[in-house]
Amino acid sequence: MKQPELYERFRALHEREGGFIMPNAWDGVSALLLKQAGFEALGTSSPAIASALGRLDGRHAVTREEHLGNAVLIGELTGLPVNGDFEDGYGASASEVAATVEAAIAAGLAGIGIEDTTGDPSKPIRDFDDAVERVRQAAKAAKGRILLTGRTDNFIQGRPDLEDTIKRLVAFADVGADVLYAPYPTDMDAVRAIVKAVAPKPVNLVVGTMRGTLPWGELQKAGVKRVSLGVALYTRVMGDLRKAARQLADGDLASASEGIGFGEIKKMIAAATKEG
């Protein structure tokens, strides 16, 4: 499936009543397992990619080229629409952010997220006008070609300012963002306020709120159209690996080596490569 078709397919998922869950993969096998489970689109995860490479997630810990390569791998193996978790757009300027959008389209991605972070711990969130202009330029490049998510990281950067968060998301919507996203709002009242403020444009939520993970049905009732998992699946797998490591250290070889048979993994990869 070519990039324009993947984009249209991804866009249609956001228009579907009830929305959809978009889990985040980080390598070929995780992507194939998620496809096997029936998911219709996948996201990348910059923190999972960084961690797998032994790096701390942050401003460009993973380069744009590395992230594009990871997204291409996921897309080519699965044939599914892929949304790139592309941090601040890999650009010091708004024009460089637009260039990243163009690169994502050329790489075959169906969606891309641009956030308002700086990578500077002393000032983690960009000034309002700068953040909006970056989304504006990204939207000009993206329009009708790739689904653009405008994201503010106020909540996860210790700025629980709902008013400013909504102001930013509404501005992102006004300049052309297709989906709006503020990771980990304080509670469901904040989620409902965000959904109402940017309507009719769809809202993404990662897993839940600051108060914890919530059932998908509850998020649907609040009007959330897309749920992503961020780094949650990666950390779940790492948790299982830690458990297996402890079993191995205790000499329990059988329990430590339980899992998917490698032959099954080989068959999945062989079938995906053949299909590609």
Side-chain angles (χ1 to χ4, degrees), residues 80-103:
L80 296 176
V82 175
N83 184 72
D85 173 28
F86 270 47
E87 302 184 35
D88 68 343
Y90 291 99
S93 67
S95 61
E96 289 173 325
V97 174
T100 293
V101 173
E102 294 285 357

Side-chain angles (χ1 to χ4, degrees), residues 137-235:
Q137 294 302 319
K140 285 182 180 180
K143 188 174 182 180
R145 303 166 67 208
I146 190 170
L147 205 76
L148 174 66
T149 297
R151 166 176 160 173
T152 177
D153 277 9
N154 268 344
F155 295 118
I156 59 174
Q157 291 295 340
R159 293 173 34 142
D161 186 337
L162 180 59
E163 183 178 350
D164 183 65
T165 294
I166 287 176
K167 178 183 176 182
R168 286 171 180 261
L169 295 178
V170 169
F172 295 164
D174 287 345
V175 299
D178 301 297
V179 181
L180 291 311
Y181 178 24
Y184 294 104
T186 50
D187 52 34
M188 284 305 295
D189 286 340
V191 173
R192 285 185 279 269
I194 289 168
V195 169
K196 182 179 179 181
V198 302
K201 291 196 174 182
V203 168
N204 181 89
L205 191 68
V206 58
V207 181
T209 69
M210 289 285 188
R211 293 188 177 181
T213 303
L214 294 158
W216 173 218
E218 187 174 341
L219 300 181
Q220 287 176 302
K221 289 177 183 177
V224 173
K225 278 289 190 178
R226 187 179 84 194
V227 168
S228 57
L229 275 290
V231 74
L233 293 179
Y234 175 80
T235 56

Side-chain angles (χ1 to χ4, degrees), residues 49-124:
I49 301 168
S51 296
L53 293 171
R55 304 172 193 170
L56 290 174
D57 182 43
R59 182 174 172 80
H60 308 168
V62 177
T63 67
R64 187 178 79 174
E65 289 66 33
E66 287 173 324
H67 202 148
L68 283 169
N70 179 265
V72 168
L73 170 68
I74 291 169
E76 289 184 344
L77 279 175
T78 64
L80 296 176
V82 175
N83 184 72
D85 173 28
F86 270 47
E87 302 184 35
D88 68 343
Y90 291 99
S93 67
S95 61
E96 289 173 325
V97 174
T100 293
V101 173
E102 294 285 357
I105 295 169
L109 275 67
I112 185 171
I114 303 296
E115 61 197 47
D116 59 1
T117 53
T118 65
D120 180 358
S122 66
K123 187 182 178 183

